[in-house]
Amino acid sequence: MGDTEVLVVGAGPVGLTAAAELRRRGVDCRIVDRLPAAQPYAKAVGIQPRTLEVWDAMGLVREVLDEAVPMLGQLIFVNGEPGPRIELDLPADVPYRFAALPQYTTERLLADHLAGYGTAVERGTEVLELEQRDDHVRVSLATPDGPRELAARYVVGCDGAHSRVRRAAGIAFAGDAFPEQYMLGDVEVDWDLPEGYGLRASHRNADGVTDDILVCIPLPGRRRYRMSMLVPPELATPPAGGVAHGLEGGRAPELRHIQAVLDRLSPRPTTATALRWSSVFRISHRLADRYREGRSFLAGDAAHIHPPTGAQGMNTGVQDAYNLAWKLALAVRGVAADGLLDSYQAERHPVGEEVVGRTVRHARAGYEAEPDDLTTVLLREAQLLLGYRGGPLTGPAPGPGEGRGGDGDGQGPAAGDRAPDCGGLERPLTAFPQRLFDLLRSPRHALLLYADAGTPAEHLHGTAAAARSAAHGLLDVHVVLAPEADARPDGLRLPFVRDAAGAFRAAYAADEGAAFLIRPDGYLAARLPAGDPGGPAAHLRRTFAAPGAAGSAA
């Protein structure tokens, strides 16, 4: 087998995202999976708005929107009585909404997207051993053609809860398992509940303890749902050794098992039909003690597992991959600053820890235990509040009142926050308004310079030239003209848009002369005031090696 720059292990949504983002940046990459074919299961089905933003930047969102269905809210019933109806409403400036899509469709779309870069999943290929060397990892594989070895500069383990990469790297995976055993079924029903709404129906005993539960998530198709519920005694099995998480073998639930739960808990009399697949599963909550060991990295379920509450798992894994891929690409090119790859652990491990803790809390006490208002809870579930303030690529965290942080205080995002979208941008040669995200689909960093018609063009050119040099040319620069600027500054040779409606100024609290540096994964690396033309270049040196010097990010 030929050697490669990066070997991705595992071809679920996380591994496919990592491979696609590496290939988009021109990195030689191979992706292997031990299964001989993709699984036809609707395991992870919830798609968060932030994940749709990621797929927008990757160039995949149109295909996803064609296949997905909206998740409008959730209906809650306790002991047959209706509870509060949750509407999944988000602020108008968020470009995407909550969606549902079977995991097998997500994987097909990502695999097709990856194939567009000339890369296919190598199936039936399993990692046996990893040996770390100074400048590569030696990987032993079992393939359909027999044992093989290859060398990879880096290995990314996206191989799930039972990760071989994690075990080979000697990374601990501490946590525990829930005692309950559940079953899943993909079925159609004939009830008259409103489309686009999930259902959570439960029974509480005289002591107020929930002893029976049914959760239904809508899927594409007519009244089709993925249903989860407690397993009946006849299907229950004792836990096996190791990590007890995910689908289990053995006897699969039949339609009658699912119907029995519907007869007990459905708020409307209904009949289940068209069972596509079913399985018994267990839930654990575990977190890898580190996401990196030498040249090996972990992402997705290989790094963190937890209850499926709020559809956080796959979406968190996709963002793991999206965070890591651009950093690996810079390291492979030899232009990464020292320690850039260590920022993956510094940024993503706290996210995994928070998600594990929150989903366990929600599984045990429900969303009612959250002290925040519903809008904040939904923004957090949508993964729009996630950020990297105070991280190694942003510098010290802002003080009180600095940066919006999602509370709408009008200060604009702080370094480390998600870069918000905005509309109403006018661009030459277009007769329709542009979105900011239209400018940010490049795999490179972006520098946005806010200016008015009186801003000297030479000032903008000097800032841009210094920043591009610091980024080894891997930087897009756009001038955003204030609403009052009815013409470009004299002599301006940079691409520009006009903030005609003032939406950018409002979203970013932008002053004339300010600069905003946005990372390839859509987070604000720095916001720099007017009068600091060298600021963007200085900040980029956190990420890039000095021009003319080879980085040693490994």
Side-chain angles (χ1 to χ4, degrees):
M1 299 185 74
D3 295 341
T4 188
E5 289 173 333
V6 180
L7 175 68
V8 177
V9 182
V14 179
L16 290 165
T17 297
E21 282 297 276
L22 288 165
R23 294 295 296 121
R24 184 160 76 113
R25 292 168 170 83
V27 175
D28 180 40
C29 169
R30 297 175 66 174
I31 177 169
V32 301
D33 194 282
R34 65 179 180 82
L35 296 175
Q39 293 183 314
Y41 305 139
K43 294 186 292 182
V45 300
I47 308 295
Q48 302 295 350
R50 177 58 188 157
T51 299
L52 292 174
E53 291 183 353
V54 168
W55 288 339
D56 183 337
M58 290 174 60
L60 180 67
V61 76
R62 180 183 62 80
E63 291 83 354
V64 173
L65 296 179
D66 286 346
E67 301 264 10
V69 294
M71 270 290 295
L72 303 177
Q74 186 178 63
L75 309 175
I76 298 175
F77 290 82
V78 178
N79 294 353
E81 296 298 321
R85 176 166 165 162
I86 298 176
E87 302 289 345
L88 298 180
D89 294 330
L90 292 171
D93 60 348
V94 175
Y96 295 104
R97 297 300 183 252
F98 296 90
L101 187 68
Q103 182 171 329
Y104 60 79
T105 303
T106 299
E107 291 177 0
R108 171 174 57 80
L109 295 176
L110 281 165
D112 290 347
H113 181 72
L114 176 61
Y117 296 110
T119 300
V121 177
E122 300 173 42
R123 292 207 164 271
T125 301
E126 185 172 8
V127 170
L128 299 178
E129 293 181 0
L130 299 176
E131 183 183 352
Q132 298 264 1
R133 306 281 181 89
D134 288 343
D135 59 355
H136 69 278
V137 182
R138 199 73 191 168
V139 185
S140 300
L141 299 167
T143 80
D145 298 320
R148 295 288 188 274
E149 287 194 353
L150 65 77
R153 291 181 63 182
Y154 301 100
V155 173
V156 183
C158 308
D159 48 341
H162 306 281
S163 171
R164 282 282 182 92
V165 174
R166 186 185 64 240
R167 293 202 298 269
I171 297 175
F173 200 41
D176 203 351
F178 282 81
E180 299 87 0
Q181 197 172 9
Y182 298 87
M183 63 181 181
L184 286 174
D186 180 344
V187 300
E188 296 175 12
V189 289
D190 58 0
W191 59 34
D192 62 352
L193 296 177
E195 293 186 4
Y197 284 80
L199 169 69
R200 180 184 177 90
S202 61
H203 179 270
R204 292 177 183 168
N205 62 25
D207 297 325
V209 176
T210 298
D211 56 13
D212 205 359
I213 191 165
L214 168 69
V215 177
C216 306
I217 305 298
L219 295 175
R222 180 170 172 76
R223 303 201 184 284
R224 179 186 169 200
Y225 294 82
R226 192 208 66 185
M227 299 186 176
S228 58
M229 57 210 79
L230 292 171
V231 75
E234 65 181 283
L235 296 180
T237 58
V243 178
H245 190 81
L247 304 185
E248 297 186 340
R251 185 179 174 189
E254 301 172 14
L255 200 56
R256 63 184 177 88
H257 296 116
I258 296 170
Q259 185 63 53
V261 178
L262 288 170
D263 291 342
R264 294 197 306 270
L265 294 176
S266 173
R268 304 279 194 277
T270 192
T271 300
T273 59
L275 177 63
R276 287 171 169 81
W277 70 274
S278 63
S279 179
V280 171
F281 73 102
R282 293 183 183 275
I283 298 172
S284 289
H285 50 95
R286 293 177 181 270
L287 179 69
D289 69 352
R290 59 194 185 280
Y291 284 11
R292 179 189 185 186
E293 177 60 34
R295 292 177 173 271
S296 297
F297 298 82
L298 302 178
D301 283 1
H304 45 77
I305 55 176
H306 45 79
T309 340
Q312 298 295 292
M314 181 195 74
N315 294 276
T316 300
V318 165
Q319 290 204 63
D320 290 342
Y322 198 55
N323 180 291
L324 177 61
W326 69 267
K327 298 171 181 177
L328 280 175
L330 294 183
V332 166
R333 291 182 71 142
V335 299
D338 292 348
L340 176 63
L341 294 183
D342 287 332
S343 72
Y344 175 63
Q345 160 76 17
E347 292 182 343
R348 294 305 299 174
H349 192 272
V351 172
E353 185 174 27
E354 190 277 332
V355 169
V356 171
R358 172 160 45 93
T359 53
V360 168
R361 187 169 66 249
H362 289 171
R364 289 174 171 160
Y367 291 95
E368 298 82 359
E370 288 297 313
D372 296 313
D373 62 273
L374 180 59
T375 297
T376 300
V377 169
L378 291 179
L379 287 170
R380 185 178 297 117
E381 294 295 300
Q383 302 195 338
L384 297 170
L385 298 186
L386 182 155
Y388 309 122
R389 290 188 181 191
L393 302 184
T394 59
E402 297 180 54
R404 182 176 60 188
D407 61 7
D409 63 11
Q411 297 299 311
D417 289 352
R418 163 185 166 268
D421 194 17
C422 65
L425 303 178
E426 293 181 351
R427 193 170 193 175
L429 304 179
T430 63
F432 50 87
Q434 303 279 300
R435 293 168 51 207
L436 180 61
F437 280 7
D438 293 334
L439 307 181
L440 303 180
R441 293 196 181 98
S442 161
R444 298 177 289 275
H445 280 71
L447 177 62
L448 306 178
L449 303 174
Y450 199 69
D452 61 25
T455 303
E458 59 269 23
H459 169 84
L460 300 171
H461 294 155
T463 300
R468 280 176 171 155
S469 175
H472 297 259
L474 302 175
L475 177 73
D476 297 324
V477 181
H478 297 275
V479 175
V480 181
L481 296 178
E484 299 79 17
D486 55 5
R488 76 166 80 187
D490 290 341
L492 181 65
R493 299 187 302 276
L494 296 168
F496 70 94
V497 293
R498 180 169 168 266
D499 185 23
F504 180 88
R505 181 162 62 189
Y508 284 78
D511 297 319
E512 191 276 326
F516 301 87
L517 184 62
I518 299 177
R519 299 168 17 157
D521 55 0
Y523 288 88
L524 189 64
R527 56 178 300 148
L528 301 158
D532 186 12
H539 193 91
L540 283 162
R541 295 188 190 104
R542 296 173 181 263
T543 298
F544 291 90
S552 56

